[in-house]
Amino acid sequence: MNESALERYFDHFIENHSSRKEEKEVNEEFFHLLPDEILALNKDDTGNGSSSVDYNSQNPTAGASSTSAQEDRPTTLVTSVTQQQQFLPQIQNIICTVNLGCQLDLDLIARKAWNVEYNPKVYKALTMRLRKPRTTAMIYKSGNLVCLGAKSVAQARLAARRFSRIVQKLGFPVRFLNFKIQNMMASCDTFTVSLEQLALQEHCSYEAELFPGLFYTGIPNVSIVIFATGKLSLVGATTEAQMYEALGIIRPILSRVRRQ
């Protein structure tokens, strides 16, 4: 084989090898592209993009339904969350009682304990305060203790135990007996209402000249004070379940007199 034939053979081999290598590199790059980039390349090649597949065009109702579903879903979610937030009670004060199980010398406690106020000429009970949780206790000579100011049942129990422990450290045989939640006071923000229309219904008492709120007493053991701004004050419940039950009863009543 002469040199010219050999050179033509190698030139042909190099051309085929380079073209295959370029095609292989293009295919590898093609597989690394995203679907949107492939459609864009196809659109650039054809000029008008008519050969790209439009799945929404094949099913016109699918696009409309998906669009409407996306538009409706956030609105429904926001509405439900807003309605739940409007009727969530916030506990402002819990009053609980406990029996310490022994007679107490209030004069001794007043001399040795901190954060104590005692004036038997004004009030026969001794007042003691805590910082954490921020609560106040009324301690009586008979051993009864009334704790108020807690924001939850757990805080009320913890505060009552700390008050009992303080008295126990002063030398009294204190026991923690008959702990009970006596009253829970909570507030709730709702929508504005017409108190004049609400006053026409049963179990409602409204004297605008004396007090700006309306008293609703149609729920057993729970009394609700309703203001025109939609502010509710709940008094008398002993559990959170009773408060939620009371809000469930008063909600449809307020909806009928909602101020537009």
Side-chain angles (χ1 to χ4, degrees):
M1 182 180 294
N2 54 13
E3 294 181 359
S4 59
L6 186 60
E7 290 176 356
R8 289 196 300 272
Y9 173 76
F10 280 109
D11 291 339
H12 180 69
F13 177 78
I14 290 172
E15 290 177 358
N16 293 335
H17 181 72
S18 61
S19 62
R20 291 176 182 176
K21 184 176 181 181
E22 292 176 356
E23 182 180 359
K24 182 178 180 181
E25 292 177 353
V26 170
N27 290 334
E28 290 179 354
E29 293 178 356
F30 180 81
F31 286 115
H32 287 288
L33 294 177
L34 297 174
D36 295 338
E37 296 175 342
I38 296 173
L39 293 176
L41 291 175
N42 190 14
K43 183 176 181 180
D44 294 338
D45 294 338
T46 56
N48 54 5
S50 59
S51 60
S52 62
V53 180
D54 187 1
Y55 296 99
N56 292 332
S57 62
Q58 295 178 0
N59 189 1
T61 60
S65 61
S66 62
T67 304
S68 61
Q70 292 177 357
E71 292 178 354
D72 293 341
R73 191 179 302 119
T75 305
T76 305
L77 181 61
V78 171
T79 303
S80 61
V81 171
T82 304
Q83 291 176 354
Q84 291 177 1
Q85 290 178 351
Q86 286 179 344
F87 285 85
L88 287 179
Q90 296 180 355
I91 298 176
Q92 303 296 334
N93 186 14
I94 293 179
I95 300 175
C96 63
T97 58
V98 64
N99 187 2
L100 301 183
C102 64
Q103 295 289 322
L104 301 176
D105 187 353
L106 300 184
D107 292 326
L108 177 64
I109 297 174
R111 291 196 305 267
K112 293 186 176 181
W114 292 87
N115 298 326
V116 172
E117 296 179 5
Y118 180 54
N119 189 353
K121 295 181 180 180
V122 178
Y123 191 64
K124 60 182 180 180
L126 179 144
T127 303
M128 183 181 295
R129 291 181 174 85
L130 282 180
R131 291 184 179 180
K132 292 183 180 180
R134 188 175 294 275
T135 51
T136 302
M138 309 297 292
I139 304 175
Y140 296 86
K141 185 178 180 180
S142 60
N144 292 325
L145 185 148
V146 180
C147 179
L148 58 145
K151 303 293 184 180
S152 65
V153 177
Q155 282 189 5
R157 182 179 291 273
L158 176 61
R161 286 190 174 277
R162 287 185 177 178
F163 285 122
S164 303
R165 181 59 176 165
I166 292 172
V167 177
Q168 186 182 37
K169 286 182 177 180
L170 297 177
F172 295 96
V174 170
R175 292 180 295 171
F176 195 82
L177 304 174
N178 302 327
F179 174 82
K180 185 178 181 181
I181 302 295
Q182 300 291 344
N183 193 356
M184 300 178 69
M185 289 172 277
S187 62
C188 182
D189 292 327
T190 63
F191 41 78
T192 58
V193 296
S194 175
L195 297 183
E196 292 77 10
Q197 297 181 9
L198 183 60
L200 301 177
Q201 302 187 21
E202 296 180 350
H203 310 294
C204 294
S205 176
Y206 180 51
E207 295 292 340
E209 297 82 3
L210 302 178
F211 187 70
L214 180 145
F215 292 89
Y216 183 82
T217 57
I219 303 172
N221 302 325
V222 179
S223 178
I224 302 178
V225 183
I226 307 169
F227 296 90
T229 58
K231 185 85 171 182
L232 305 181
S233 296
L234 294 86
V235 181
T238 57
T239 61
E240 294 186 11
Q242 290 182 359
M243 288 193 297
Y244 281 100
E245 183 181 359
L247 289 176
I249 295 174
I250 198 65
R251 180 174 178 175
I253 298 175
L254 296 180
S255 300
R256 292 195 292 266
V257 295
R258 183 171 184 173
R259 190 184 298 275
Q260 301 296 332

